[in-house]
Amino acid sequence: MDNKGFTFRKRLAGFKYAFRGIRLLLRYEHNVWLHCLIGACAVTAGFLLEISVMEWVAVIIVCGCVFAAEALNTAIEKLADVVSPEYNEWIKHVKDISAGGVLFMAIAAAIAGVLIFLPKLMALF
């Protein structure tokens, strides 16, 4: 492996591309806005219900995983559209499986949210 090309400037440029990717996601993917809304609700509930540090860790990790899954799903879908602009049953399966991965993560995040927030909400009543 050639390490002669390593520079901090190149590493910083990598962040620029990653932030551009996040901006593209926010601009073109409507589901990301739904994830943002739900994430904001979770963060607000976390502050209001004074969740523990470990509960914060769980909330942050599952929110990050949902966003990462959505980003990967979007990348797979965009690449599939370029590779096969016409309808292709295999590409449809790939896109469906990728979307299913996002759904798995969103369900896991929802379950984590219920486990964290429901007992605290029940204690209020």
Side-chain angles (χ1 to χ4, degrees):
M1 180 171 220
D2 181 21
N3 288 332
K4 293 179 184 176
F6 177 87
T7 66
F8 286 105
R9 179 172 281 144
K10 287 181 183 178
R11 297 313 97 192
L12 290 175
F15 281 101
K16 177 179 78 173
Y17 303 136
F19 282 114
R20 184 184 308 150
I22 291 170
R23 281 193 309 274
L24 288 169
L25 221 89
L26 290 168
R27 184 172 180 184
Y28 296 111
E29 292 304 314
H30 302 291
N31 287 341
V32 171
W33 285 103
L34 179 61
H35 298 312
C36 285
L37 175 64
I38 295 168
C41 289
V43 168
T44 301
F47 281 115
L48 294 174
L49 298 172
E50 298 177 350
I51 63 176
S52 71
V53 170
M54 289 311 294
E55 290 167 330
W56 273 116
V57 168
V59 168
I60 292 165
I61 288 172
V62 297
C63 285
C65 286
V66 170
F67 284 113
E70 189 67 57
L72 293 171
N73 176 55
T74 299
I76 289 167
E77 288 183 352
K78 300 294 183 202
L79 181 60
D81 290 343
V82 170
V83 169
S84 181
E86 70 286 342
Y87 180 81
N88 180 307
E89 190 67 23
W90 288 107
I91 294 293
K92 179 187 180 313
H93 291 315
V94 167
K95 288 180 170 187
D96 290 348
I97 291 166
S98 180
V102 177
L103 182 58
F104 272 135
M105 193 60 242
I107 290 169
I111 292 169
V114 167
L115 292 172
I116 291 168
F117 295 117
L118 187 61
K120 294 181 181 326
L121 289 170
M122 297 296 284
L124 294 176
F125 298 105

